[in-house]
Amino acid sequence: MAENALLTIIVPNYKTPELTKLCLRSIRKYTDCSKVKVVAVDNDSQDASVEYLRSLKWITLIERKTAGESGPAMHAKALDMVMQTVDTPLVLVIHTDTIVISDQWLDFLLGKIYADEKIAGVGSWKLEKVSPVKIFFKKIETAIRRMLGRQILDREHYFRSHCAMYKSDCVRETNGFHDNESAGVTMFKILREKGYKLPFIESEELCRYLRHLNHATMILNPTSESRKSANPKKRMKLEKELKKLNADKILADDSLDK
């Protein structure tokens, strides 16, 4: 672990051995590890992913027991547990289905968060590539709904924890990530009310550096009751995305664990 690191990367883990390995190895492959500390938090997985995490000497592993917690609660509580010990100026929260694809990713995010002293954090609402055709038809659908006077849900956005970087001291000015909603919703509101800037990074821009395998944790988790986990089309799409990312090559490179 880097003694004078600038950033702590928090990776919650739950029952996704292959994704966990791919995520961590991508960080190792594309990151100057003298600048970061990586902390994985296992949420009582009791599977092969725990054994893998225990074998890694370049990360810190925290194993926490859960008691009937929901998925979102487990994830948020894991983030808060690590925040109690974070001693770096910055913290990055990331999912195991978020994969680093460029060695410029860290410099890119550092440039964003240090662009203004009033910035408390940077992140995105979505982190996925959307085809121009899909965007076009979505705009048409929205226009038609407006013409027909139908309600358009405008959900308030916040930084999703698939990839969000914060100044650690700013996080400590809030109650943390766990708030009985998705991780970070209330924290985002509190920071904004305090007058901090929280600029969003467009998905298309952030996807040049990291990719989020949408719903991959649910698709690959055999204990999930979500319909996504049993959807063959979703699984085929995920397999195509993994192929594009050369996942097999990274998963075959055991040197990235050392």
Side-chain angles (χ1 to χ4, degrees):
M1 298 292 288
E3 292 184 4
N4 298 312
L6 176 66
L7 170 72
T8 297
I9 302 173
I10 309 176
V11 188
N13 173 69
Y14 183 67
K15 293 183 180 294
T16 51
E18 186 175 83
L19 277 182
T20 300
K21 183 179 290 188
L22 181 60
C23 173
L24 289 172
R25 285 187 175 182
S26 74
I27 293 173
R28 183 74 160 168
K29 180 179 177 67
Y30 293 112
T31 309
D32 180 352
C33 289
S34 68
K35 295 181 179 179
V36 304
K37 295 181 179 182
V38 179
V39 182
V41 190
D42 180 66
N43 282 309
D44 211 5
S45 297
Q46 302 183 45
D47 69 352
S49 64
V50 186
E51 295 304 317
Y52 171 69
L53 292 171
R54 287 172 180 164
S55 74
L56 302 180
K57 305 302 182 184
W58 64 279
I59 71 166
T60 295
L61 172 62
I62 297 175
E63 298 181 47
R64 65 181 296 268
K65 296 297 182 181
T66 61
E69 298 171 353
S70 66
M74 283 196 299
H75 182 79
K77 288 182 177 181
L79 299 178
D80 284 338
M81 177 177 283
V82 180
M83 279 306 305
Q84 294 176 18
T85 61
V86 166
D87 59 0
T88 54
L90 301 172
V91 62
L92 177 86
V93 296
I94 195 171
H95 288 190
T96 53
D97 57 6
T98 298
I99 313 302
V100 180
I101 61 172
S102 168
D103 59 7
Q104 298 298 311
W105 79 276
L106 183 54
D107 288 338
F108 169 75
L109 288 175
L110 291 177
K112 292 289 186 181
I113 200 166
Y114 283 133
D116 188 319
E117 63 179 12
K118 288 297 292 180
I119 291 177
V122 294
S124 69
W125 169 243
K126 289 190 175 182
L127 180 53
E128 58 187 12
K129 280 201 166 186
V130 181
S131 71
V133 174
K134 187 174 181 179
I135 293 173
F136 175 74
F137 281 108
K138 185 64 178 179
K139 288 181 178 179
I140 291 179
E141 178 188 0
T142 299
I144 292 174
R145 291 179 69 86
R146 285 200 174 103
M147 287 173 58
L148 296 175
R150 294 180 180 175
Q151 183 181 10
I152 299 173
L153 296 177
D154 186 19
R155 184 177 179 182
E156 189 171 14
H157 291 182
Y158 63 97
F159 293 156
R160 288 186 173 178
S161 58
H162 47 228
C163 178
M165 180 181 284
Y166 299 90
K167 291 175 180 173
S168 301
D169 286 343
C170 293
V171 174
R172 295 188 184 98
E173 291 184 32
T174 72
N175 295 323
F177 290 91
H178 181 55
D179 51 16
N180 295 318
E181 294 189 72
S182 295
V185 174
T186 302
M187 184 172 72
F188 186 89
K189 294 176 182 177
I190 292 173
L191 290 173
R192 188 172 55 190
E193 289 169 358
K194 286 177 172 286
Y196 286 109
K197 295 180 180 179
L198 296 154
F200 283 89
I201 303 173
E202 291 296 329
S203 179
E204 189 68 24
E205 184 178 16
L206 191 52
C207 277
R208 298 172 192 166
Y209 305 93
L210 305 101
R211 294 288 175 80
H212 181 227
L213 302 172
N214 206 21
H215 303 306
T217 53
M218 288 185 284
I219 294 170
L220 296 178
N221 188 340
T223 64
S224 174
E225 296 178 358
S226 169
R227 287 179 298 174
K228 295 183 178 66
S229 65
N231 189 321
K233 290 183 178 179
K234 293 283 187 181
R235 184 173 288 271
M236 287 179 62
K237 183 178 179 181
L238 174 61
E239 290 173 353
K240 288 181 180 179
E241 287 298 315
L242 289 169
K243 188 173 182 180
K244 289 179 183 178
L245 296 176
N246 294 315
D248 287 346
K249 186 175 181 180
I250 295 175
L251 290 172
D253 189 355
D254 294 340
S255 68
L256 293 170
D257 289 342
K258 298 171 182 165

